Structures are given as structure tokens and as C-alpha cells.
């Protein structure tokens, strides 16, 4: 019999009275381990995906109507998660985001080579994208160095969640 103050979680075929018993489950433990292995691989695959698009841009020597935003977002988002991972001392977080920042910079550089100087369909302009990256980086670093480690990790984690 359940009392009104009992926390119950309903799962197919059973009732769990406490979330802590779920974390001891071999299924949950196994899935968490699998995600820990798969996430870095999937992350790296995602940051490699623009290569074919940029090859086409280089071959045609024009960007057409392609936006710059995916590449600058990759830089900003990766930077935020690197700082978050460092604040939380979570190597799996910051290490897996380093390739995104590096490749995002490379992709933006390659994009810029073939983008008309006066293009405003990126959305915005190239310099606006650069300014946004610097603003995000400065905000993130001010939080990281100006707040307690715990408060900074919380704020930077929320910032990263907004960008995702």
C-alpha cells in the first residue's frame, strides 16, 4: 500500500518506490556505459559532416545561399562545453568538444574564402558572426573566472543548454 508521501515510479510490469533503485539496475548501468562510449563517437561524426559541403564550395568556388551559422555555432557551442567540462573536471565533455571548435574554425575559414565580402545572407555578416563568437567566449570566461566554480559550472551549463 502506498502512502501519499511515497514517491513511486511506474514502469511496465513493476513499480519502483525510489529513483535510487533505478541507478542500481544493470539495464540503466549498461545503457549509461554505452552512451558514455557512443556519445564521443557520435559527436565527432557530427562535426565531420560539413566536410562534403565545403568540398563542394571549394570546387565551385562559391557559397551560394549556404549559411555560415552552422560553423560559427559549432565554434561557440564547442567552446562553451569545453569550459563547462573543465569547470566540472569532466574530461569526456571537454575533450569531445575540442574537435568541434577546431573544425568549426576551419570550416568558417574555408567558407569565408569563397563568400562574397558584402554577403548579408549568412544570416547577418561575417563580422557579426565573429563578434558573436567573441561575445559568447568573453561571457563564458568571465563566468568561469568571476564566479565560484560551482556557480560558474551551473551558469555555463545553462548557457550551453540554450545553444543546443
Amino acid at each position: 500500500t502506498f502512502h501519499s508521501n511515497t514517491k513511486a515510479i511506474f514502469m511496465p510490469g513493476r513499480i519502483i518506490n525510489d529513483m535510487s533503485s533505478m541507478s542500481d539496475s544493470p539495464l540503466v548501468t549498461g545503457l549509461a556505459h554505452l552512451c558514455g562510449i557512443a556519445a564521443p563517437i557520435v559527436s565527432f561524426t557530427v562535426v565531420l559532416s560539413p566536410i562534403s559541403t565545403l568540398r563542394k564550395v571549394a570546387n565551385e568556388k562559391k557559397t551560394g545561399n549556404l549559411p555560415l551559422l552552422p560553423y560559427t555555432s559549432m565554434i561557440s557551442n564547442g567552446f562553451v562545453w569545453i569550459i563547462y567540462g573543465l569547470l566540472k573536471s569532466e574530461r569526456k565533455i571537454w575533450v569531445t568538444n575540442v574537435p568541434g571548435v577546431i573544425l568549426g574554425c576551419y570550416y568558417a575559414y574555408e567558407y569565408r574564402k569563397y563568400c562574397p565580402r558584402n554577403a548579408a545572407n549568412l544570416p547577418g555578416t561575417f563580422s557579426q558572426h565573429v563578434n558573436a563568437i567573441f561575445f559568447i567566449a568573453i561571457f563564458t570566461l568571465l563566468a568561469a573566472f568571476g564566479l565560484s566554480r560551482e556557480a560558474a559550472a551551473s551558469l555555463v551549463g545553462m548557457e550551453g543548454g540554450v545553444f543546443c
Side-chain angles (χ1 to χ4, degrees), residues 95-148:
V95 168
T96 57
N97 282 284
V98 169
V101 172
I102 293 169
L103 288 171
C105 290
Y106 170 72
Y107 298 151
Y109 170 78
E110 286 296 312
Y111 183 97
R112 182 66 175 139
K113 285 193 325 191
Y114 302 107
C115 180
R117 295 282 177 215
N118 59 352
N121 66 329
L122 307 180
T125 64
F126 190 84
S127 63
Q128 288 171 329
H129 282 256
V130 172
N131 290 339
I133 291 168
F134 279 113
F135 175 79
I136 291 165
I138 289 168
F139 175 83
T140 305
L141 291 172
L142 284 173
F145 291 109
L147 300 173
S148 70

